[in-house]
Amino acid sequence: MKKKSNELENWLKEISEVPGPSGFESRVRELMVQRLGGTCEVLKDNIGSVIFKKQGQTAGPNIMLAAHMDEIGFLVKTITKEGYLKFVTLGGWWEQVMLGQRITVMTAKGDIPGVIGSKPPHVLSAEERKKMVTKKEMYIDIGALDKKDAEERMGVTPGVPAVPFTSFTLMANPDFLVGKAWDDRVGCAIVTDVLQQLGEVKHSNTVFGVGTVQEEVGCRGAKTSADVIGPQVAIAVDTCIAGDTPGMSEDQASAKLGGGVAVCIYDASLIPHVKLRDFVLETAREAGIPFQLEFSEGGGTDGGRIHLHAQGVPSIVLSVPTRYIHSHNGIISRKDYESTVKLILELVKKLDGKKVRELLD
Ligand SMILES: [Zn+2]
């Protein structure tokens, strides 16, 4: 049992720490291919998403499990003559969590460390201290002597991406895991885990586990990968806002760490298919899998794109509640990871042709 939990920790460390902002997901893709390439047929779309196909006892119905490989990050826009990097953000950043943070700049010559620079409070006026510093005023410090040093010695050019630098860490409560990019590497880990475990399970359908690209900038890979698959049912596996921290109310976010897989009842881009949702809840209850309900008035996932594919695809989102989402240090619970894997496996076992026809009736 101990060994198994170490294996999971190592895998989560690897997939959390690997850099892969929107548009630059290739290293995440490689990790997933390393794990699944031998057991699944590997397909792709034309913008970088990877699709792992595992046929069970029958060909179809096609069940799509989608998790996005990209994380929020930065892209170098210009280099100042002093050697500092001005940047645009990739995905949704809140300025308050950016300043003073360490990042990894992915140059053509390799990864180098950087810091998002800020003025010390000592030199700020009382008025200035109250104001939020905007992204436009910020810069990345890579320790370059000047522009030439940044370009020629360090290999930094406009278009070079960067991501948060955070070491995966177990908290004093070892069920709680700190890391960057849980949104949505925890989903990538879950989809990978499900496909590996499906090797020993009978399922009358074809499962397509997908690592999508560019979710954080508009769910782009969800659209293109659904075109490759032609799914009849889709489950987006993602993170959701944890509401169990000071200042948050149940009305803002109801999911709690350790409360089990979060079943989405509403988000800004998807009203989950009602029969599919009820089937998911019934399956969780019957199998005794801890679950909780989740809603998001201010965000969407790949599910929002996939359910509009072709003539429509019954879709739902299953999530792992995450504290401090879209910052350098997210916290998730191992228990929620495990219940999400379990529930998806149970659903896949039951989603045969008859069940899918019932859902569509
Ligand atoms: Zn996400």
Side-chain angles (χ1 to χ4, degrees), residues 2-311:
K2 184 73 189 149
K3 185 164 173 288
K4 221 177 154 212
S5 92
N6 284 346
E7 269 170 37
L8 175 61
E9 283 159 24
N10 291 340
W11 168 227
L12 288 173
K13 175 181 167 63
E14 204 175 9
I15 201 150
S16 162
E17 290 183 358
V18 68
S22 309
F24 302 86
E25 299 89 350
S26 61
R27 287 198 240 170
V28 188
R29 183 168 63 239
E30 278 160 28
L31 281 184
M32 292 178 79
V33 170
Q34 268 172 26
R35 292 227 148 201
L36 294 171
T39 54
C40 299
E41 187 184 340
V42 183
L43 310 170
K44 58 188 180 63
D45 66 11
N46 295 331
I47 59 169
S49 305
V50 62
I51 301 160
F52 300 96
K53 177 179 177 185
K54 176 153 187 325
Q55 190 181 316
Q57 270 58 45
T58 58
N62 294 345
I63 313 299
M64 179 174 182
L65 309 175
H68 64 91
M69 296 185 288
D70 62 314
E71 65 186 298
I72 57 169
F74 314 95
L75 188 79
V76 175
K77 195 167 60 169
T78 56
I79 306 168
T80 70
K81 66 177 190 312
E82 298 85 7
Y84 296 105
L85 317 179
K86 299 295 285 183
F87 59 88
V88 292
T89 45
L90 297 172
W93 276 100
W94 185 40
E95 275 107 338
Q96 192 123 333
V97 298
M98 290 168 60
L99 270 190
Q101 295 287 351
R102 185 157 160 197
I103 59 170
T104 302
V105 183
M106 302 158 70
T107 84
K109 293 188 176 178
D111 292 348
I112 60 170
V115 171
I116 301 181
S118 64
K119 282 190 198 170
H122 314 66
V123 302
L124 299 178
S125 68
E127 248 340 278
E128 277 178 318
R129 275 184 226 175
K130 281 189 220 145
K131 276 200 307 203
M132 183 135 88
V133 180
T134 65
K135 289 181 268 200
K136 279 200 159 47
E137 297 168 80
M138 294 182 201
Y139 59 87
I140 298 166
D141 184 342
I142 50 169
L145 299 174
D146 53 26
K147 186 174 186 192
K148 192 165 169 260
D149 193 36
E151 285 175 341
E152 290 176 13
R153 191 166 64 88
M154 299 182 179
V156 179
T157 50
V160 156
V163 292
F165 173 87
T166 303
S167 300
F168 169 88
T169 308
L170 293 185
M171 300 197 87
N173 167 358
D175 276 342
F176 282 11
L177 314 171
V178 185
K180 77 163 178 67
W182 288 136
D183 178 12
D184 184 22
R185 300 296 166 66
V186 67
C188 295
I190 287 168
V191 168
T192 306
D193 221 343
V194 165
L195 282 164
Q196 282 183 317
Q197 292 194 41
L198 274 181
E200 296 139 30
V201 168
K202 282 210 159 113
H203 58 105
S204 299
N205 48 41
T206 303
V207 176
F208 295 82
V210 190
T212 65
V213 293
Q214 300 188 41
E215 192 265 0
E216 297 290 358
V217 291
C219 304
R220 298 172 190 172
K223 177 178 188 333
T224 47
S225 56
D227 280 345
V228 176
I229 296 163
Q232 271 86 51
V233 170
I235 301 171
V237 188
D238 212 317
T239 52
C240 67
I241 312 291
D244 56 354
T245 50
M248 295 280 287
S249 67
E250 196 185 354
D251 185 47
Q252 288 173 311
S254 54
K256 294 178 173 57
L257 259 66
V261 48
V263 180
C264 179
I265 53 165
Y266 172 87
D267 75 34
S269 69
L270 171 72
I271 298 161
H273 187 272
V274 176
K275 280 192 191 169
L276 176 61
R277 181 199 69 192
D278 291 345
F279 166 64
V280 167
L281 295 174
E282 180 192 297
T283 302
R285 274 187 208 109
E286 276 175 9
I289 298 167
F291 70 93
Q292 48 191 332
L293 302 180
E294 173 264 322
F295 54 86
S296 171
E297 289 169 82
T301 71
D302 277 345
R305 267 302 173 92
I306 299 164
H307 85 294
L308 297 176
H309 172 76
Q311 296 174 41

